[in-house]
């Protein structure tokens, strides 16, 4: 009952503000800019992040900075419809994007260009991951002192087995799946061939995508694109000679380069390129987001981000089972939330915690559509949580799979002896010291360990087989710790569709038979962030626990280009 007068009052305020500013905007209409500047920096969210309305302290945000892909797309559509606008200047400054978000950004730019508008990009320095964004423009500019750190991709696999031996720490693990290489990080003295092959496969896919993007944007053959990558990194002069950029322009000269006239007299003054906010100030009737009498349908997004652990807290670095389960229950109980997107970005973790999440996902899926989406990583326990959804969507080059388990503990007896610590273990019961970190496993304990890991693996296979409509044998052929890209996971039947976040959200609303054109997204869960503690991890790992975890996926996060430190 109170919503009607509040909405009317809020819309009245918006209308009055629009009318009061009309005379000033009418005077500025003739100065409507033909070029608008945007700045890409940091990690762009799909939708605007909710934050405090009143910002106290902290560095000011540069006015041209793009705050979300949704807002950027809305701005580009408005500019594309203005016949006076020639194009946009896109400044690329330390932007860090997943493959999926980069593709979403490039799609927005492509639609803008298809409307007959130009995109001019400029940067001081870009690396391998940033260059596809810079190079997608109609004209690519670089600062004369700038650099193009285009060198391809690299992955470094690390093993600690020999180092642990030297300090008196021994890792004891049992695993199911030759491709479940996570324990090798602690036990082996060198990188295994399977680990190497896994990394090589992802490197090949990422490199092929880079070559294709470079060929498309710069009009090169694949062979020429590979030669350009192999000749990197580039100074500004060499980048211009190689055709990676079209011109070298100082930031102060960008306005003049675009043909903008300075309002000041004289020829040496800087001509700034207006921001989108300045452009809106020249619109007689800028777009206004009026509040509607009827509330928009709501889409719930529940994040499973980080290593999966039991308990609560740890938002950002750990996906705590209790926190995620409570978020799912809240989304399920919310009558306005018509569907749920389970956004998974996790290498896995505790098998127990993963199964808790799976059961919670299944319960919510009985009430409303639940779609799982993988933007970057959905491996092991993360995949276990995702299979409870009605469908699983993935970005093309996300990391998916690693169906397998391992169980084990760390033995610190040698280290304690070197430190002069004497410990005596007394037991009653064959497996009473099963969790002791003073020694390894006895033959009887090892048999119990093998029995446990086999049971856990079979349970994992059964859960996936039931969810994916296949037999255990078929899933086993795709399991044993194998890791797939999103595209290969779809071909293997582990993923239903390939798509982007916005596409997934619209599909979820369609499944709920709600409007997929106008809805709001609300994230559930979160909480205080906890610091990643090596001591905490080692302490937790000192007791035998079932893990569904993918170390290889963590290593792949390090893919990127070199950065110079001069």
């Amino acid at each position: 009952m109170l919503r009607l007068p509040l909405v009317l009052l809020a819309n009245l305020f918006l209308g009055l503000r629009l009318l009061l500013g009309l005379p000033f905007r009418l005077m500025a209409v003739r100065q409507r800019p033909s070029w608008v500047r945007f700045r890409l920096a940091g990690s762009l969210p799909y939708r605007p992040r909710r934050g405090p309305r009143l910002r106290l302290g902290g560095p000011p945000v540069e006015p041209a900075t793009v705050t979300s892909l949704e807002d950027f797309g809305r701005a580009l559509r408005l500019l594309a419809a203005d016949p006076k606008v020639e194009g946009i200047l896109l400044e690329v400054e330390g932007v860090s994007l997943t493959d999926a978000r980069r593709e979403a950004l490039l799609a927005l730019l492509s639609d803008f260009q298809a409307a007959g508008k130009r995109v001019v990009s400029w940067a001081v320095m870009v690396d391998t991951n940033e260059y596809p964004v810079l190079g997608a423009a109609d004209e690519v500019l670089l600062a004369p002192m700038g650099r193009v750190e285009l060198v391809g991709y690299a992955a470094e696999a690390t093993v600690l087995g020999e180092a642990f031996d030297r300090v008196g720490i021994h890792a004891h693990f049992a695993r199911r799946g030759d491709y479940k290489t996570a324990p090798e990080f602690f036990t082996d003295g060198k990188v295994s061939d399977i680990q190497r092959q896994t990394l090589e496969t992802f490197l090949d896919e990422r490199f092929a995508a880079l070559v294709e993007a470079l060929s498309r944007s710069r009009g090169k053959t694949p062979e020429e694109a590979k030669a350009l990558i192999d000749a990197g990194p580039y100074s500004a002069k060499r980048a211009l000679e190689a055709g990676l950029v079209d011109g070298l322009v100082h930031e102060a000269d960008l306005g003049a380069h675009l043909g903008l006239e300075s309002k000041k007299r004289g020829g040496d003054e800087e001509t700034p390129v207006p921001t989108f906010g300045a452009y809106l100030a020249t619109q007689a009737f800028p777009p206004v987001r009026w509040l509607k009498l009827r509330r928009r349908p709501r889409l719930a997004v529940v994040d499973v981000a980080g290593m999966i652990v039991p308990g609560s807290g740890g938002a950002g670095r750990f996906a705590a089972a209790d926190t995620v389960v409570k978020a799912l229950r809240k989304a399920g109980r919310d009558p306005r939330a018509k569907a749920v997107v389970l956004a998974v970005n996790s290498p896995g973790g505790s098998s127990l915690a993963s199964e808790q999440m799976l059961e919670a996902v299944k319960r919510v899926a009985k009430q409303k559509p639940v779609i799982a989406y993988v933007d970057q990583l959905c491996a092991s326990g993360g995949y276990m949580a995702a299979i409870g959804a009605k469908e699983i969507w993935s970005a093309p080059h996300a990391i998916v799979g690693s169906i397998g388990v391992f169980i084990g503990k760390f033995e610190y007896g040698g280290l304690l002896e070197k430190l002069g610590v004497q410990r005596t273990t007394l037991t009653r019961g064959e497996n009473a010291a099963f969790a002791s970190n003073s020694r390894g496993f006895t033959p009887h304990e090892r048999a119990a360990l093998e029995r446990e890991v086999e049971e856990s693996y079979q349970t994992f296979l059964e859960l996936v087989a039931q969810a994916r409509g296949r037999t255990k044998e078929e899933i086993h052929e795709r399991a044993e710790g194998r890791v797939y890209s999103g595209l290969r996971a779809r071909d293997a039947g582990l993923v239903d569709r390939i798509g982007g976040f916005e596409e997934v959200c619209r599909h979820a609303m369609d499944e709920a038979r709600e409007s997929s054109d106008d809805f709001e997204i609300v994230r559930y869960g979160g909480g205080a962030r906890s610091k990643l503690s090596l001591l905490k991890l080692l302490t937790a790992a000192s007791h035998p626990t079932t893990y569904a975890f993918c170390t290889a996926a963590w290593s792949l996060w390090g893919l990127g280009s070199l950065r110079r430190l001069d």
Side-chain angles (χ1 to χ4, degrees):
M1 296 298 292
L2 290 177
R3 179 171 174 79
L4 177 61
L6 290 176
V7 169
L8 293 176
L9 186 62
N11 285 337
L12 178 62
F13 173 76
L14 291 173
L16 287 174
R17 189 173 66 174
L18 186 67
L19 289 175
L20 290 174
L22 180 60
F24 302 98
R25 293 193 301 274
L26 287 174
M27 289 187 292
V29 164
R30 293 184 179 181
Q31 281 126 23
R32 195 159 80 251
S34 56
W35 287 87
V36 177
R37 177 171 64 95
F38 292 93
R39 174 177 173 266
L40 297 177
S43 177
L44 296 180
Y46 289 106
R47 296 288 181 109
R49 293 191 178 102
R50 291 188 176 184
R53 295 183 179 273
L54 182 62
R55 185 183 181 90
L56 299 176
V61 179
E62 213 277 349
T65 301
V66 176
T67 56
S68 73
L69 290 172
E70 181 189 41
D71 287 345
F72 187 47
R74 187 181 295 114
L76 290 184
R77 287 189 290 272
L78 181 62
L79 295 173
D82 189 338
K84 187 177 179 180
V85 173
E86 296 180 35
I88 63 169
L89 172 66
L90 196 65
E91 297 182 359
V92 180
E93 183 182 332
V95 63
S96 176
L97 298 173
T98 64
D99 288 337
R101 296 188 189 194
R102 182 169 58 246
E103 289 302 316
L105 173 62
L106 293 176
L108 294 176
L109 295 176
S110 178
D111 290 344
F112 183 72
Q113 291 167 314
K117 305 298 183 181
R118 285 175 54 79
V119 176
V120 175
S121 61
W122 178 86
V124 175
M125 187 184 79
V126 291
D127 62 15
T128 298
N129 289 319
E130 294 169 307
Y131 183 79
V133 175
L134 188 79
D138 298 288
E139 184 178 12
V140 181
L141 304 176
L142 192 68
M145 78 293 291
R147 294 191 60 83
V148 176
E149 303 284 356
L150 181 65
V151 294
Y153 296 105
E156 292 184 343
T158 302
V159 289
L160 301 176
E162 186 175 338
F164 275 10
D165 286 342
R166 291 182 179 181
V167 298
I169 299 176
H170 302 285
H172 302 276
F173 289 97
R175 69 182 183 182
R176 285 299 177 271
D178 292 338
Y179 293 82
K180 197 67 180 178
T181 58
E184 295 176 4
F185 178 72
F186 306 107
T187 60
D188 288 17
K190 65 177 183 178
V191 177
S192 68
D193 291 338
I194 289 179
Q195 176 80 311
R196 181 185 295 274
Q197 291 168 9
T198 299
L199 294 174
E200 293 278 7
T201 300
F202 279 95
L203 283 172
D204 288 342
E205 290 190 6
R206 292 286 297 273
F207 189 71
L210 176 63
V211 169
E212 195 276 331
L214 189 58
S215 301
R216 182 178 63 249
S217 63
R218 304 311 294 172
K220 304 290 185 181
T221 66
E223 292 71 23
E224 290 172 335
K226 291 178 183 177
L228 283 174
I229 297 169
D230 291 339
Y234 293 86
S235 64
K237 181 180 178 181
R238 288 188 62 237
L240 181 61
E241 293 172 349
L244 290 172
V245 300
D246 301 306
L248 305 181
V249 182
H250 286 288
E251 184 177 10
D253 299 329
L254 287 171
H257 180 83
L258 296 174
L260 303 182
E261 298 180 359
S262 175
K263 296 181 181 180
K264 300 179 181 179
R265 295 183 179 180
D268 297 330
E269 291 83 357
E270 178 180 344
T271 306
V273 182
T275 64
F276 184 65
Y279 169 83
L280 290 178
T282 65
Q283 297 286 297
F285 296 97
V288 178
R289 303 192 70 175
W290 303 101
L291 273 68
K292 297 182 178 181
L293 293 179
R294 182 181 178 183
R295 290 178 173 177
R296 294 184 296 166
R298 175 179 292 175
L299 173 67
V301 175
V302 177
D303 290 298
V304 180
M307 184 160 68
I308 296 175
V309 296
S312 59
R317 296 185 184 275
F318 298 103
D322 291 350
T323 301
V324 174
V325 168
K326 288 178 181 178
L328 285 166
R329 289 174 180 171
K330 186 175 180 180
R333 289 194 300 263
D334 187 351
R336 287 186 58 200
K338 305 303 181 181
V340 179
V341 169
L342 187 74
V344 183
N345 182 17
S346 171
S350 164
S351 177
L352 172 63
S354 300
E355 284 199 59
Q356 284 182 268
M357 294 182 187
L358 171 60
E359 288 304 309
V361 173
K362 287 181 177 179
R363 287 199 299 272
V364 177
K366 293 178 181 179
Q367 306 170 37
K368 56 191 67 174
V370 179
I371 310 296
Y373 178 61
V374 189
D375 178 88
Q376 186 174 2
L377 176 62
C378 179
S380 300
Y383 185 74
M384 181 186 290
I387 60 175
K390 181 178 181 179
E391 295 178 20
I392 301 177
W393 287 52
S394 173
H397 301 292
I399 299 171
V400 181
S402 192
I403 301 170
V405 297
F406 68 94
I407 307 177
K409 67 176 181 179
F410 292 101
E411 173 199 342
Y412 303 121
L415 177 60
L416 295 175
E417 185 177 343
K418 290 182 179 182
L419 296 175
V421 177
Q422 297 297 322
R423 179 180 289 181
T424 301
T425 304
L426 304 175
T427 65
R428 292 296 183 274
E430 287 286 349
N431 295 335
F434 187 78
S436 172
N437 54 24
S438 298
R439 60 168 175 78
F441 294 108
T442 65
H444 192 276
E445 291 169 346
R446 170 61 69 170
L449 185 73
E450 294 289 346
R451 186 171 58 249
E452 184 80 10
V453 73
E454 178 63 23
E455 182 180 351
S456 298
Y457 180 60
Q458 294 301 323
T459 298
F460 202 165
L461 292 180
E462 289 174 2
L463 291 171
V464 177
Q466 182 181 12
R468 304 305 299 168
R470 295 179 179 269
T471 65
K472 280 180 59 177
E473 291 71 22
E474 289 175 322
I475 297 301
H476 175 68
E477 292 175 357
R478 296 158 173 79
E480 294 191 281
R482 291 177 176 86
V483 183
Y484 303 84
S485 66
L487 291 169
R488 287 187 287 119
R490 179 195 58 188
D491 295 339
L494 300 179
V495 161
D496 295 293
R497 301 193 195 184
I498 300 297
F501 177 76
E502 294 294 340
E503 187 180 0
V504 171
C505 292
R506 291 193 297 271
H507 176 72
M509 296 304 287
D510 286 338
E511 288 291 311
R513 298 182 180 180
E514 294 286 342
S515 171
S516 59
D517 296 324
D518 187 22
F519 59 91
E520 67 172 324
I521 290 180
V522 177
R523 290 188 177 271
Y524 293 78
R529 298 178 67 92
S530 69
K531 295 182 179 179
L532 183 63
S533 167
L534 180 60
L535 179 61
K536 180 178 179 180
L537 290 177
L538 290 176
T539 301
S542 65
H543 301 285
T545 308
T546 307
Y547 292 99
F549 182 74
C550 177
T551 303
W554 285 70
S555 300
L556 284 168
W557 288 354
L559 286 172
S561 64
L562 298 173
R563 287 185 179 272
R564 292 175 61 90
L565 296 175
D566 295 326

